[in-house]
Amino acid sequence: MGKRVIGIDIGGTKILGGIVEEDGTLLKVKRVDTQAQKGKETILANLFRLIDDLIAEGSIDGIGVGSAGRIDHKRGVVVYATDNLPGWTGLALKDVLEDRYGVEVAVDNDVNAAVLGEMWLGAGRNYRNILMMTIGTGVGGAVVADGKLIRGSSWSAGEIGHMILYPEGKQCNCGRKGCLEQYISGTALYKQYNELSKNLKVNNARQVFELYKQRDEIAAKVIGDFVRWLSISIMSIKNILDPEVFIIGGGVIESKELWWDDWKALIGSNVNVVSAELGNKATMFGAAQLVL
Ligand SMILES: [Zn+2]
């Protein structure tokens, strides 16, 4: 019998886990709320509960974890995590899980795991040079060169959300100003709408896309800027890495029929862009791949 492992995706709102076989068959999926604002002990308790539930379904050979934050993949330590996962910084996640479950554990950044998942079973299957970009609450990235994930000298390669788009621009939570994330993330989209709109206020990017469909003028301006900024960032990255393909994932992909064609027209036909195929399961599959 082939190996069976657990792949886990730890994000600020939910923890998703599944039992994955060597050939990519997904046997079982479970999800729990992260309850991040209650702090590290609660997050860990939720993570343990999820793993316990999955192990109750049958024995496993390893656990792979993709977590938000900057992750020392060698030691399995969270080097840095934002306030989305309070107390997570400094956590030796690999040791904690190996001590508790007695199996091999591998930990990596969630977007790094996502690109491994897409290379294994999704949109990255036929490529060896990939730039993956996830646009959701924030903007994440991962770089694959010659078939190898580039993690960087301090585990922060691919942090494209913090490329500067506008010098002296909007304040970013990383401490700098004008980062890409402050302009094209889902959060940025609805904030921009609210900045421009005198009357109507929205709470998420989905509402902005909904208004855009209804030919709302402010939404059209916001989405127009989004498309422009996204193409500028793709061009900058193309000049540095020249990947065979850009894989775009994250929540904004759900409304791609509204902007994808305009965007592609802007970046031109010599840049190969595709959307992610595994949706919210990419990180889970990639995390499983880390220990397989
Ligand atoms: Zn930043």
Side-chain angles (χ1 to χ4, degrees):
M1 224 179 73
K3 270 192 180 180
R4 282 187 358 168
V5 301
I6 291 178
I8 294 174
D9 175 4
I10 303 177
T13 29
K14 55 122 193 23
I15 304 174
L16 189 70
I19 302 177
V20 181
E21 289 193 318
E22 223 162 356
D23 64 355
T25 308
L26 180 61
L27 297 177
K28 195 88 194 177
V29 192
K30 285 201 189 285
R31 139 186 199 149
V32 295
D33 289 336
T34 312
Q35 296 183 298
Q37 294 322 310
K38 292 188 181 168
K40 180 176 87 176
E41 296 308 322
T42 304
I43 306 173
L44 276 175
N46 289 328
L47 174 63
F48 294 158
R49 185 159 54 89
L50 176 97
I51 297 173
D52 293 346
D53 281 358
L54 288 169
I55 286 178
E57 307 280 337
S59 68
I60 49 131
D61 302 299
I63 300 171
V65 181
S67 169
R70 184 150 33 110
I71 311 289
D72 177 337
H73 170 66
K74 235 184 209 157
R75 295 187 301 136
V77 173
V78 181
V79 177
Y80 173 77
T82 66
D83 288 344
N84 289 337
L85 293 171
W88 216 234
T89 300
L91 178 68
L93 194 51
K94 178 179 159 80
D95 288 350
V96 167
L97 293 177
E98 283 183 347
D99 287 349
R100 188 180 161 97
Y101 295 103
V103 294
E104 191 193 341
V105 174
V107 186
D108 209 334
N109 165 270
D110 55 351
V111 188
N112 284 350
V115 80
L116 292 178
E118 292 288 343
M119 281 176 82
W120 184 26
L121 302 164
R125 233 181 258 122
N126 302 316
Y127 299 103
R128 290 181 55 79
N129 294 281
I130 304 172
L131 189 291
M132 177 144 183
M133 186 172 190
T134 56
I135 311 171
T137 314
V139 173
V143 182
V144 173
D146 259 342
K148 196 172 176 297
L149 191 56
I150 305 297
R151 294 187 172 93
S153 61
S154 59
W155 312 104
S156 62
E159 286 287 3
I160 53 182
H162 301 282
M163 294 196 310
I164 309 279
L165 182 68
Y166 278 99
E168 302 306 317
K170 293 183 184 181
Q171 183 65 48
C172 184
N173 51 17
C174 72
R176 295 203 190 92
K177 286 180 174 176
C179 295
L180 184 62
E181 182 164 288
Q182 299 306 316
Y183 295 86
I184 68 162
S185 63
T187 314
L189 290 188
Y190 86 77
K191 281 189 181 165
Q192 272 144 29
Y193 188 93
N194 290 344
E195 271 170 29
L196 295 170
S197 170
K198 293 269 180 306
N199 307 310
L200 184 62
K201 300 291 175 189
V202 295
N203 305 309
N204 55 55
R206 204 171 300 133
Q207 285 174 291
V208 181
F209 285 114
E210 207 42 58
L211 286 160
Y212 179 66
K213 256 194 248 175
Q214 297 158 18
R215 297 179 189 284
D216 177 279
E217 266 178 45
I218 296 168
K221 156 89 174 120
V222 171
I223 304 300
D225 285 345
F226 164 75
V227 163
R228 216 157 38 82
W229 290 329
L230 182 56
S231 49
I232 290 170
S233 61
I234 290 287
M235 293 309 184
S236 299
I237 299 165
K238 166 92 175 149
N239 282 325
I240 300 168
L241 295 169
D242 190 23
E244 294 167 84
V245 67
F246 285 86
I247 302 177
I248 314 293
V252 302
I253 280 300
E254 286 160 28
S255 49
K256 74 166 195 169
E257 80 278 0
L258 298 174
W259 55 269
W260 190 270
D261 289 347
D262 290 346
W263 175 57
K264 270 189 108 157
L266 258 187
I267 54 181
S269 57
N270 66 335
V271 182
N272 184 20
V273 290
V274 299
S275 52
E277 286 176 12
L278 301 179
N280 65 1
K281 295 197 178 68
T283 294
M284 190 188 75
F285 277 116
Q289 174 72 347
L290 284 170
V291 281
L292 275 169

